Each structure stands twice: as C-alpha cells, then as structure tokens.
Amino acid sequence: MGDFLPYGRQSISEEDIEAVVGVLRGDWLTTGPAVGQFETDLAAHTGGTPAVAVTSGTAALHVAYAAAGIGPGDEVVTSPMTFVATAATAALHGAKVVFADVEPDTGNLSVAAAKAAVTGRTKVVAAVDYAGLPAELDELAGVAHDAGALLLEDAAHSVGGSWQGRAVGSIADLTTFSFFPTKNLTTAEGGAVVTPRDDLLDRARKFRNHGLVRDRAEQRYPDEGGWHQEVHEFGLNYRLPDVLCALGSSQLKRLAEFKKRRAEIHARYNAALADVDGVATPPSRPGADPVWHLYPLRVLDGRRRALFDHLRGAGIGVQVNYIPAYWHPVFEDLGYRRGLCPNAEAYYAQELSLPLFPSLTDADVDRVADAVRAFFGA
Ligand SMILES: *Cc1c(COP(=O)(O)O)cnc(C)c1O
C-alpha cells in the first residue's frame, strides 16, 4: 500500500531555513528590508511588474478589489471554478458577484460567457488561471476594457507561467498570487498583488497598511508634527512580515526548478493515463506556458466519487478542485441557484486532482497512475 501521498506539499531546503533564521537573528521581524527585497525578486518573475506582498492569496484578492475601488452597486464578473475567495472578497466589498461559465475543457473563464455577463455596472472581470493554465488573458482584457472595467487575474496557481510569450503578472491590470504551502512556491501564509499601473499600486500599498498616508505632500494636515500620519480611506493590516518574505525570496530561486519538475510529473501522468477509457487528461492551449499547480483528471461516467474513495483508501491524497463557488450555502442564501453555469457544474462532477508537488518521485507518479488504471481494469 505504501505511505500516504498528499495531493500537494511544500519543498523547503536548508537554504530556505537559513534565510528565515537569518531574519530571526536580525533587527527586523515584520516590516524591514526583506519585504522590499521579496517584492523586487518577485517582479523578476512577472516581467518587471511591481508587487505588493500581503499575508495570503485571499488578502491579495481583497487588496486588488480595494485598489480597483469596487463597492456596493458595482458588479464583478468571475468564474465559479475557483476557490471561494475569488468571489468572497468581492462580496465583502459589497459588490455583486456575477458568475460566468467556464470553457468545458480547461475550466477557465469563457470569453463568450464573460462578454455576455458584463454590464454598465461591471467594474472588474476576474479570471482564474485554473490548475496553472493561464486564462485567455488578451481576449478577457478586451472584454473588461470594452465594458470600462479592469481585468483581475487570480494567478494563485500560475506564478512563473506565461501567456503568448509574456509573463503572468504583466498582462492583467491586477494579478494576485498565493504562497500557501500547496501552491507553486510558499511563504507559509502569503500572497501578492502585482500591477503595472502606478495608481492601482499606490492604492494597494495603502490598503495593505490601514490606508495610512505618510507622505506629507499628500496629507491634509501636513504641519501636525513629525509623528503625523493620516487615513483617507479605510484599510487593513495585510503586511507580510520579513521572516516570511525572506522565505519567499529563497523559494523564488527554486521556482524554475519547481516548474520543471511539475511539468515532468504532469507529462508522466498524461502518458500513463492517455489510453485509459473512462478518464480524460487535462488539455493546454497554444501559446500557454503553464506552471502546473494541479493535475485535474476528468473521471467520466459518473465514477469520480468511486475513484476518489478508491484512491483515498489506497493512501493517495486526491482532492477535488472545486465545488462551483455559488454552490456554497452563503451564495445559495443570496439567491444563486444550481444550474447557473452548466459547464462548471459538469467540470466539477468529473474533476479529480492527482498528487502533484516537486518532491513526488517517478515511482510515486507510477503508483498513482497504476492505481487509477487498476480501478478501470486498464
Ligand atoms: C489558494 C487560492 C486562493 C487563496 O489563497 P490563500 O493564500 O489560501 O488565501 C485564491 N484563489 C485561488 C484560485 C486559490 O487556489
């Protein structure tokens, strides 16, 4: 039977540990030099787009929507095939979440569905790079901009990827990352917002730090005294501490290696499962350079749950990503009904994420693939 295999896990090196210990021995724990260093290091992976480090991917989304200025009366068009935070953080700002359906094969937001969903009240179109495959970013940016809205890319799965030769983070108006341990790199908890627009960057930085205005040139009462700082718009404390930023900078040095190993594992699953009747392997798109965060196998003929139970019983930590966001009772109680996005619901009914993380060995991958094959008698 073998050891239990999780579906995702972090890869921490001795260098990562040294980087964290180095900060612990120094003068700063929270906001010191490691924060700016991590933001600079991250920008080297986003085509130079400036970054704001925050405490989670969820915080990054909350900050990005704040930067976009959404509030009551505004609409945010997004995909239901995502972790609930993509929608929840918009709802917490008081905006109305409008779910648009996904492409049946990739699970990414459909351009046609997004186009049909935008109205004069749409302020943000929020796409998700599901499993690490970038969404149709150029066309979605066109849909958003034609509606007078911004494109937000929830790239929690895709840091280090690119689309049509351009780095994830350099295309959308706002891009968010998560550095949770199962993601493509980790700071334990952490995230970031990146944006090429100075005005959005400034608003994101302020929202991360209580909305505090410290620049005298911007203050209403600049002559109050040397201690003075003032709040013009409400914000929160979403500051990612130095200790965790140091881990992030260290992890970024290994992002290319993580990406390569994830791609190898993805390809090995594809090769081992392509001929199995009863499953479909995940597609890519021309011009996409994904970072495979998930391996979303599609299990046909209503057998997803049986295969899930079979693999869990064999010590293989499969997962399902995701229940359509509007199936959560919080959205149901707001009047969202099942049937809203049929492609997303069909995708969910078949989806099963196989273990995928850099330290998974070829033997581990073969063990998982063999267990899937055995289930189907292949
Ligand atoms: C993980 C994730 C988030 C939230 O990130 P956290 O760091 O866990 O808060 C948001 N969106 C997607 C698509 C995610 O996978």
Side-chain angles (χ1 to χ4, degrees):
M1 209 184 102
D3 298 332
F4 182 79
L5 277 182
Y7 93 99
R9 65 160 292 145
Q10 69 277 16
S11 169
I12 300 293
S13 67
E14 284 306 313
E15 288 74 22
D16 292 337
I17 293 167
E18 286 306 315
V20 171
V21 169
V23 172
L24 288 171
R25 292 192 201 286
D27 293 332
W28 304 91
L29 280 183
T30 57
T31 304
V35 178
Q37 186 61 52
F38 178 50
E39 291 174 343
T40 302
D41 293 343
L42 183 59
H45 298 267
T46 62
T49 316
V52 181
V54 296
T55 49
S56 68
T58 304
L61 287 160
H62 202 213
V63 168
Y65 287 127
I70 67 163
D74 297 328
E75 294 178 0
V76 171
V77 171
T78 193
S79 165
M81 191 42 57
T82 185
F83 183 58
V84 67
T86 318
T89 47
L92 280 168
H93 280 297
K96 180 180 167 197
V97 179
V98 177
F99 290 101
D101 211 349
V102 299
E103 294 167 7
D105 61 339
T106 63
N108 276 341
L109 184 61
S110 149
V111 175
K115 194 170 183 159
V118 295
T119 72
R121 291 179 298 281
T122 307
K123 250 190 161 164
V124 172
V125 173
V128 178
D129 297 337
Y130 178 82
L133 176 68
E136 301 283 339
L137 298 170
D138 295 296
E139 289 185 70
L140 289 168
V143 168
H145 296 163
D146 287 350
L150 299 176
L151 178 66
L152 187 162
E153 179 183 357
D154 181 344
H157 298 181
S158 60
V159 64
S162 68
W163 176 249
Q164 312 301 336
R166 287 161 297 148
V168 163
S170 68
I171 303 167
D173 300 294
L174 290 152
T175 301
T176 62
F177 298 120
S178 165
F179 309 129
F180 188 72
T182 55
K183 302 292 165 68
N184 295 327
L185 68 93
T186 192
T187 60
E189 298 284 356
V193 182
V194 307
T195 173
R197 274 182 46 178
D198 288 342
D199 56 334
L200 298 176
L201 191 68
D202 182 55
R203 290 173 65 98
R205 286 206 175 109
K206 287 201 174 97
F207 192 82
R208 165 180 68 177
N209 191 25
H210 308 284
L212 287 171
V213 176
R214 291 197 169 126
D215 182 353
R216 285 188 71 218
E218 287 182 44
Q219 288 178 346
R220 193 172 299 175
Y221 303 104
D223 299 325
E224 184 67 22
W227 61 86
H228 185 59
Q229 46 188 0
E230 54 191 38
V231 171
H232 299 180
E233 287 183 282
F234 293 123
L236 288 163
N237 174 359
Y238 279 150
R239 300 186 304 263
L240 189 66
D242 256 38
V243 181
L244 301 184
C245 286
L247 178 56
S249 286
S250 184
Q251 286 262 303
L252 276 171
K253 293 183 192 148
R254 301 164 65 213
L255 181 57
E257 170 201 319
F258 292 157
K259 178 182 179 183
K260 179 165 168 284
R261 182 59 192 152
R262 286 177 172 278
E264 286 168 4
I265 294 167
H266 195 275
R268 196 170 180 92
Y269 277 137
N270 277 348
L273 297 172
D275 69 332
V276 178
D277 284 335
V279 301
T281 57
S284 186
R285 282 283 186 272
D289 174 27
V291 185
W292 291 114
H293 163 59
L294 299 176
Y295 186 89
L297 187 69
R298 304 287 292 275
V299 187
L300 313 179
D301 310 319
R303 301 190 72 189
R304 191 271 308 275
R305 184 167 186 161
L307 180 58
F308 177 94
D309 291 340
H310 174 78
L311 294 174
R312 281 284 181 100
I316 297 171
V318 284
Q319 191 52 275
V320 170
N321 305 92
Y322 296 94
I323 182 175
Y326 59 82
W327 282 23
H328 286 283
V330 65
F331 281 109
E332 189 175 57
D333 292 349
L334 289 168
Y336 295 80
R337 289 290 168 259
R338 292 185 184 216
L340 186 61
C341 298
N343 292 346
E345 295 185 14
Y347 196 102
Y348 162 67
Q350 296 181 338
E351 201 275 343
L352 188 70
S353 300
L354 302 183
L356 177 52
F357 52 92
S359 59
L360 206 63
T361 65
D362 285 353
D364 293 331
V365 174
D366 294 347
R367 173 183 154 206
V368 175
D370 287 348
V372 172
R373 295 183 66 92
F375 176 82
F376 287 102

